[in-house]
Each structure stands twice: as structure tokens, then as C-alpha cells.
Amino acid sequence: MNDLDLLTAITVFVLSVLVGIEVISKVPATLHTPLMSGSNSVHGIVVVGAMLIAAESHTWLGYVLAFVAMVFGAMNVVGGYVVTDRMLEMFKARPRTHDEARTHDRAEV
């Protein structure tokens, strides 16, 4: 990788960070969790990218960076599914207790 390729890669990385911050900061808090949990498959791209880094790497630094990227990517994917599960739990009907059922039956009569 020559100096121009490295400069191009760093430029793309910095611009990606800036665009990402700008996009995320515009999302209202009420939409952030549903949007992030709905994009779990997109987070898998990080894991695929880390696998590509590991395949192309020939140094210990490359292997360490690939490992760290895979760990963070996997945590991101699993965390997204945990958030989705917790969010869906909020919409499930709670089972009624015996007292609630009795009170509800009296109200209908």
C-alpha cells in the first residue's frame, strides 16, 4: 500500500465518521432504538469486513485488528437482537391474575 492509497483510505474513513455522526445525530430518540434494532443485518457487514481484513493480513497487527473488529461486530449484532427482543416484549399482553379476571368479569355483568 503506497502513501496515496493510505491517504485515500484515511480520507474515506474520516468522511465516513463525519457523515455517520451527522446522520445519527438527526434521528430522534424515540426512533433510534427501533431503527437500530431493525438494522441488525447491516451490522453483520462489520463482521464480514473483519474477516476480509484477517484474510488479507500477514502481520500480527492485522490479525489483532481483525480480531478486535470481529469481537465488536459480533457484540453489535448480538446487542441488536437483544434490544429487538426487549422491545418486542413490551408489546406482549401480560397474563391476567385471578383477581384481575374476577374484577373484569364483574364489570361486564
Side-chain angles (χ1 to χ4, degrees), residues 14 21 33 35 40-41 45 62 90-91 98:
V14 169
I21 289 171
T33 301
L35 288 174
N40 290 332
S41 59
I45 294 172
M90 293 183 343
F91 295 104
H98 181 67

Side-chain angles (χ1 to χ4, degrees), residues 20-105:
I21 289 171
E22 187 67 25
V23 169
I24 293 298
S25 67
K26 301 293 184 205
V27 175
T30 55
L31 290 178
H32 189 266
T33 301
L35 288 174
M36 293 307 293
S37 64
S39 63
N40 290 332
S41 59
V42 175
H43 299 301
I45 294 172
V46 173
V47 177
V48 172
M51 289 179 191
L52 292 174
I53 291 171
E56 295 293 322
S57 179
H58 301 294
T59 64
W60 67 270
L61 180 62
Y63 292 130
V64 169
L65 289 175
F67 176 75
V68 169
M70 281 188 230
V71 168
F72 284 144
M75 285 174 25
N76 206 1
V77 171
V78 171
Y81 283 111
V82 168
V83 168
T84 302
D85 185 54
R86 289 184 68 186
M87 203 170 55
L88 291 175
E89 284 291 322
M90 293 183 343
F91 295 104
K92 287 186 179 176
R94 289 183 294 162
R96 293 191 306 180
T97 63
H98 181 67
D99 292 336
E100 289 175 341
R102 213 169 9 143
T103 305
H104 181 69
D105 291 341

